[in-house]
Amino acid sequence: MSNDHSGRIRMMQGNEACAEGALVAGCRFFAGYPITPSTEVAEHLSVKFPKIGGRFIQMEDEIAAMGAIIGASLTGMKSLTATSGPGFSLKQENIGYACMAEVPCVIINVMRGGPSTGMPTLPAQMDVQQARWGTHGDHGIIVLSASSAQESYEQTIRAFNLAEKYMTPVILLLDEIVGHTTEKVIIPDESKIEIVNRRKPAEKPKDYLPYRETEDCIPTLAPFGTGYRYNVTGLCHNETGFPTNDNKIIGKLVHRLVKKIVMHADDIIEVKKTMLDDAEIGIFAYGSVSRSARSAVLKCREMGIKAGLLEPKVLWPFPKKEVLAMARKVKAIIVPELNMGQMAREVELASRCAVPVHKLGRVDGNPIDPREIVDMIKGVV
Amino acid sequence: MFNYLEYIREKNFPHIWCAGCGDGIVLKAILRAIEKSGISLDETVMVSGIGCSSRTPGYVDMNTLHTTHGRAIPFATGVKHGNPKLNVIVITGDGDATAIGGNHLIHAARRNIDITVLLYNNYIYGMTGGQCSPTTPTGSRAATAPFGNIEPPFNTSGLAIAAGASFVARADVYNVANCEKMIAMALAKKGFSLVEILTPCPTAFGRRNKMASPVKLMEWLRDNAVPAAKWKKMTEEERRGRMETGVLMDVDKPEYTAEYEKLVTSLRTGK
Amino acid sequence: MMERYEIRLSGSGGQGLILAGKILAEAAAIYEGRNAVQTQSYGPEARGGASKAEVVISDGEIDYPKALELDLLLSLTQESCRKYSGDLKKGGILIIDSGLVKDLPKGEFKVYSLPITEIATEKVGKAVVTNIVALGILTRIAGVISEESVKKAILARVPKGTEELNMKAFDEGFRAGNELLS
């Protein structure tokens, strides 16, 4: 999409771009609770939704907002909430519910510094592991990342498409810099944007099984109120959606919830490579930090150092194959991130000790300056 | 004879409730009230939280949504706001709705969103084995109040009224006819409605409080849940420790989804 | 082709600097077809405290969105001038409100001192347009974005009914900048 320059140009901050992306994706339900630095997503939709018949509601707390979007999604609405660190923590139980009950929805987390109340107005990337493992229990999850306003727009659309396709919650991670940076967004013609909608049951209500076993592991949930009377629960359940204590069925269910994402990883995972073909130093960076990394790569090339960048657009499932391929080509990998090495450990694992992995972590609320990355590369070289 | 089979998921029986539990009596009252109110099962969604009462939706043949602990009301709010044509019933208990979900209860009442909350009050956490809840009477024993509860209980109906609910009633499973009537009225109400239904838990509450026999608990309800007409004639002294049943609040006021629809219309037409 | 021109607008919360930053970025990106990125940094205060908005303008892609070496710093308060002037590059431009910034930071940059708030209150008649007066001054002194583009961007952003007031504020600022340069 970003190569299409025929569209309209607008200046937007990342948060507003998310809201605009949601509108285009067909999202018509938002429930949220005010929290810095994500609030502009809610504010923007509170203006837009009533004008087009979409539903906006400010809930009494973060937990309620997460519950409300699951309820709305079950009526067939594409549903969104937006939050930040502390709110993301509060939402975790119901995110797990959406995983278990396989209810599509999108959660945007504009990351700020933690732990606890931390740094409300300052950027961080400290929730990347929480996004993967924040809720209890084994489950698959899809987590996307955006590094610019343009990507915030595009990744929000993709988040809805993946949620609807795989019947799962999808988390989109921005950081405060991306959320609050105003820059150009090229909005393509709507006819050129791919929109995915969840499957509808082909069978009659009497033959319908909401969680029927299928080859692609994806269930088909009919919107409430359409004559398909079924049960949805967070308890382990069988194909009918009713709770079960049958260990065999429970084991199969949890396996399927994980397999549903793993088996489709190639369709889900997306990375962007910059000057990686002949690189001797590989950088793995995401979100706002990938912009610092890109600057650093260009600077290094000017100095004759062959640096390259691997930018995951999808953080989970983790792009293991892509990281391993990079590890086999370069002499060292550098992972700059606004935390103390949360993704660096994944890079280490995926690179199978093929090369040294150097962490460049910042947790003081400052962005990572491209010059810091250049200095580290010089040190490694 | 009322044909319960038309409303239930027969294959999910027998139910999980203990012998002597009142939840089955409430279930039957709900089904009769649904029939009376004429709402379509295809257009009705029953939402519950966690606990004994919250297992009710499993037995009722409609779209049912068994959610996380305390959160039935937010999920129900999403269902109702997502598709306002649906009738939304919330089944919850005293622990689910007034402890972990207390915030949602008061805000849904304030918002006056058109959902019907049927709150089974058995004065105890039954499913987890009899710990005290926000409605456990002072002095009563519970698994976590082995020497008697030192906390005062919530007046749950009073809480809903104070928070702005447009319809609030109290009922009990001894006076089943009233229970059915209150549920039917709540279903018919446009706006946030709540029926607090007093129901016995012999296993977790009765056994610890010298009322192990279900009959004892029924007698306790008979003697302490007082219909409004009789309540009015009682002295303060006679009222102590007893509960008034019947309609406690019934007003008409703007309902949330209707107000939202008005906003949409006014923005679209400029009127 | 211009590589990176970095502007930082600083002052206290409530002075409208973030809006001014957005206007500058829109002027460059929408009305001149260049790339522009605007970022902000703010404290917990809605009013007061030290606040800044940054704009990076370039004819090429802008990767790192924040300022690294400032070409221009505008300071409307003493505190913000002290706090944010360290990143000004050699030969850069510092524009200060002469009524509010008394202690000048040391460094090899050109200082332009004007009574910005006073121009807004006295000549335009409203303190609320201080940010637009500052934009007029900055546009003239920096000479990076055209007067016409900034004016168009202002008109697209300000509330209906305030267009005339804002144009007057911009013109007064532009004129003051012009006088200082000539």
Side-chain angles (χ1 to χ4, degrees), chain A residues 54-55 94 228 231-233, chain B residues 42 63-64 66 68 81 260-261:
Chain A
R55 309 253 146 200
N94 283 339
Y228 293 82
N231 187 55
V232 177
T233 178
Chain B
D42 275 339
N63 277 122
T64 50
H66 178 228
T68 47
H81 198 25
Y260 192 90
E261 209 45 57

Side-chain angles (χ1 to χ4, degrees), chain A residues 9-11 13 36-37 40 120-121 176-177 180-184 288 291-292 294-295 298 367-371, chain C residues 4 22 25-26 29-30 33-44 62-66 68-69 157:
Chain A
I9 293 174
R10 281 189 49 196
M11 288 294 275
Q13 59 168 227
T36 303
E40 293 84 0
T121 60
E176 188 275 338
I177 297 174
H180 282 161
T181 293
T182 300
E183 56 189 338
K184 255 187 207 176
S288 68
R291 302 171 70 134
S292 310
R294 220 175 301 138
S295 290
L298 296 177
I368 291 180
D369 186 321
R371 292 170 296 201
Chain C
R4 256 179 102 96
K22 283 194 195 301
E26 284 169 6
I30 296 179
R34 307 153 95 172
N35 285 312
V37 167
Q38 182 264 325
T39 58
Q40 62 207 44
S41 142
Y42 56 99
I62 300 169
D63 289 325
Y64 189 65
K66 303 248 178 192
L68 292 165
E69 289 182 304
R157 270 277 175 185

Side-chain angles (χ1 to χ4, degrees), chain B residues 54-135:
Chain B
S54 287
R55 289 303 187 95
T56 304
Y59 308 118
V60 182
D61 189 20
M62 50 175 71
N63 277 122
T64 50
L65 177 56
H66 178 228
T67 74
T68 47
H69 194 19
R71 319 303 172 196
I73 290 174
F75 278 69
T77 299
V79 171
K80 184 69 190 180
H81 198 25
N83 182 357
K85 283 188 207 113
L86 297 172
N87 309 296
V88 181
I89 302 169
V90 168
I91 307 289
T92 182
D94 43 309
D96 197 53
T98 71
I100 189 165
N103 196 32
H104 312 308
L105 174 69
I106 57 175
H107 285 282
R110 172 184 62 78
R111 209 173 268 132
N112 197 33
I113 186 162
D114 184 26
I115 57 181
T116 302
V117 176
L118 306 179
L119 192 161
Y120 300 22
N121 182 3
N122 64 359
Y123 304 98
I124 204 84
Y125 284 87
M127 188 162 266
T128 48
Q131 298 77 24
C132 60
S133 89
T135 62

